[in-house]
Amino acid sequence: MRKSPWKRRRKWGGKGVNNLLVAKNISVAFGGLLAVNDVSFDIPKKSIVSLIGPNGAGKTTFFNVLTGLYKPSRGNILFGDQDITDLPPHKIAEIGIARTFQNIRLFGLMTAQENLLVAMHSHLKSGVFATIFRTKRQRKEESEAVDKAQAILDFAGVGRWTNEYARNLSYGDQRRLEVARALALEPKVLLLDEPTAGMNTQESQVFIDFINKLVAERDIAVMLIEHDMKVVMSVSQRVTVLDQGEKIAEGSPDQIRSNPRVIEAYLGKPKVARK
Amino acid sequence: MVKSTGTSNLTRSNRNWIRGYSIAALVMFITYQYLLPWEGLPLGIYDGINKWMPPAALNESLVYVIMALGLNIIVGYAGLLDLGYVAFWAIGGYCAGWFMSEFFYFLNINFFGSVPAESPGIHINFWLVLLIGGLVCAFFGALIGAPTLRLKSDYLALVTLGFGEIIPQVFFNGEDFFGFNISNGTKGIVRVDPIPAGVKNLGPFDFGWKLLLFIFLAAVMVFISLRLRRGRLGRAWLAVREDELAASMMGVPLMRTKLAAYAIGAFSGGLGGVAFATHVDGVYAERFNFAISIFLVAMVVLGGMGNVWGVILGAFVLSWVNGNGLAAFGSVYNETFGTSIDFTSFTFLLFGLVLILMMLFKREGFVPESRMKLLMHESELDEEESVEKKKKVGR
């Protein structure tokens, strides 16, 4: 039987090729409030894309839809060929979408290493009995996981805090640890919700370098929500602007910078935007 | 800033606990099995032991230890409040009542039982019943867990409270359960089979050997607790306790993880239930009351939530005070001062007082888990820390 050309196109060519994650016509309503209204969004492979918008624009809500925390009232989300709209959050995490949080949500009373090991939960296999009897396989799996966790901690620059409780780390290190924890999931898409909030210029620069290194060295696409325009403009290949739940613009940083609608909705008066 | 002592300490305690525990077990066993019946033992010591910690009371304490260790997995590890744990105790007890007594007199099933083959009723080997009791409880744990674990903490606690009332009531009124007699109602199931232990069958009065058995069962639960805690599931429990939402976002299936906590905790309740049935040589519905659930939670909280050694200590102390300690103290006090105060009637007053004092001065329990200690003293650190954090942000 001949393969359907449609299927082949899906695999080898056409629009869906380079897109890791495609969200189509997503709407989210909370009661009468339409938090996200008919937003389509895709994340190409090995890319860094940003989502910006004023407070209350629906950015974090959109994030929560992508990670399965909220179910969209309309629209669907494709990850590769798989429809993930109705999957529970832990399944979505397992197949490769990891995130960080706007306000850090580490497991404070667990060590940095344990934080990462929790994220590896879905990749580890040993069950209750293997753990109780500490089978050879379980011990091997654990020691490999510990090594891997250490490698990721080193990569993220928090390697010296392996056995420190997460809550004892400094603010910047907690941010880095949260990214490291997300990386431990071995994600294909990494969603970062305001990663540089509370960082100074120098720390932000270090973080930008880190994100660039991440995308360069690992096969990962990154999506950012960010308020710091310097970060957004320097790091992203594409910027999408949300305002009051609607997508008002999308394009390269330069296009966005000069888009009058964006300036009006988000940056306010042109005088401020040109700062 | 508080230095973490987490991982390294745990490993060390894992290496050493078997030694310490075995020595304690051996001392207790020798004291009660050989020293107590010994003719040459000075009468003072003999009376003293019998007054302050008689063999029966010690064994009962150990049953409480087994239970509290199970509850610790639910409350201490996974952070789910369970106010109906007594239900598992009851189910475990009735498993012993059904499967190793003459209760079902119209049947005649004997599977490696410890009584002659021709005796009526179901007589399954004690060790097997132990397993059955545990598994049945684990099943019921998962059964009530499945629909209720979606609830948040307070509501979950209320549902478990209801469960802890319903199950004992079912047994209490179980003489006519849709036409079947499942529990003998208030009369209870009297006499369960002795425990087959190699050369000897252990009846209700073989306190010494049964002490060893109960110590062994508690050790099994300690072992399971410690091993699980260090593994994949234990980490997931901790993560769920810390931040449910973040845990689910990190790929931890919440339902399955919580259900596992319930099932394993309930399993221990089953072991304890069967053990208790052999201890009192019967199953009596009126013993499974709500106060026991609260009592067990108090043991876990006072001992040190999440730390098995703390929980063991808590279970020992509270069950001792409740069972024998206060009465013994009262009689000594009355003799010395010539008063006639009924100290045992003040048990709950005392417990209330102790709870208040503990919550005021040592919230994390007698032997806290290091993490819990940090958590419980959070408010005291808050001021200092927020200043520190502000400094960092503004850096």
Side-chain angles (χ1 to χ4, degrees), chain A residues 108-111 114 165 167, chain B residues 2-6 10 71-81 229 237-243 300-308 310-311 358-359 361-381:
Chain A
L109 289 176
M110 299 177 80
T111 64
E114 284 171 325
Y165 286 136
R167 59 182 306 201
Chain B
V2 195
K3 264 267 164 272
S4 101
T5 48
L10 262 173
L71 187 63
N72 177 49
I73 290 179
I74 301 173
V75 177
Y77 284 6
L80 308 161
L81 187 52
R229 180 49 170 278
W237 284 337
L238 261 190
V240 168
R241 192 181 80 184
E242 290 263 321
D243 188 338
V300 174
V301 172
L302 291 191
M305 229 189 281
N307 183 325
V308 287
V311 170
M358 288 290 284
M359 287 304 116
F361 299 111
K362 206 161 164 45
R363 251 172 291 172
E364 67 275 14
F366 296 131
V367 189
E369 186 199 17
S370 58
R371 301 173 212 261
M372 268 298 168
K373 202 168 173 180
L374 281 174
L375 184 72
M376 292 299 183
H377 287 290
E378 202 159 43
S379 54
E380 290 156 39
L381 288 171

Side-chain angles (χ1 to χ4, degrees), chain A residues 59-184:
Chain A
K59 307 180 298 283
T60 299
T61 307
F62 190 70
F63 250 41
N64 288 341
V65 170
L66 291 186
T67 49
L69 196 58
Y70 301 150
K71 298 296 163 211
S73 26
R74 259 203 312 280
N76 55 356
I77 304 159
L78 290 174
F79 184 74
D81 281 343
Q82 195 182 353
D83 189 336
I84 60 166
T85 321
D86 292 323
L87 289 185
H90 66 91
K91 283 277 178 217
I92 292 179
E94 194 182 329
I95 62 173
I97 300 177
R99 72 172 290 179
T100 65
F101 297 88
Q102 192 171 352
N103 28 10
I104 300 172
R105 296 189 84 146
L106 286 164
F107 306 120
L109 289 176
M110 299 177 80
T111 64
Q113 186 189 59
E114 284 171 325
N115 266 278
L116 265 69
L117 290 175
V118 168
M120 292 179 186
H121 185 88
S122 53
H123 298 299
L124 302 179
K125 293 284 165 285
S126 35
V128 173
F129 291 102
T131 312
I132 291 174
F133 296 112
R134 204 167 278 179
T135 57
K136 217 175 192 176
R137 210 214 217 131
Q138 192 262 353
R139 273 177 295 166
K140 190 162 161 263
E141 188 184 77
E142 283 289 302
S143 76
E144 277 171 6
V146 166
D147 290 346
K148 216 173 99 190
Q150 189 57 48
I152 296 172
L153 286 171
D154 288 336
F155 180 77
V158 283
R160 66 209 156 111
W161 300 124
T162 310
N163 288 323
E164 189 66 60
Y165 286 136
R167 59 182 306 201
N168 293 348
L169 302 190
S170 73
Y171 183 79
D173 282 341
Q174 289 195 7
R175 283 263 175 226
R176 271 182 279 276
L177 179 57
E178 218 190 11
V179 176
R181 184 180 67 174
L183 287 178

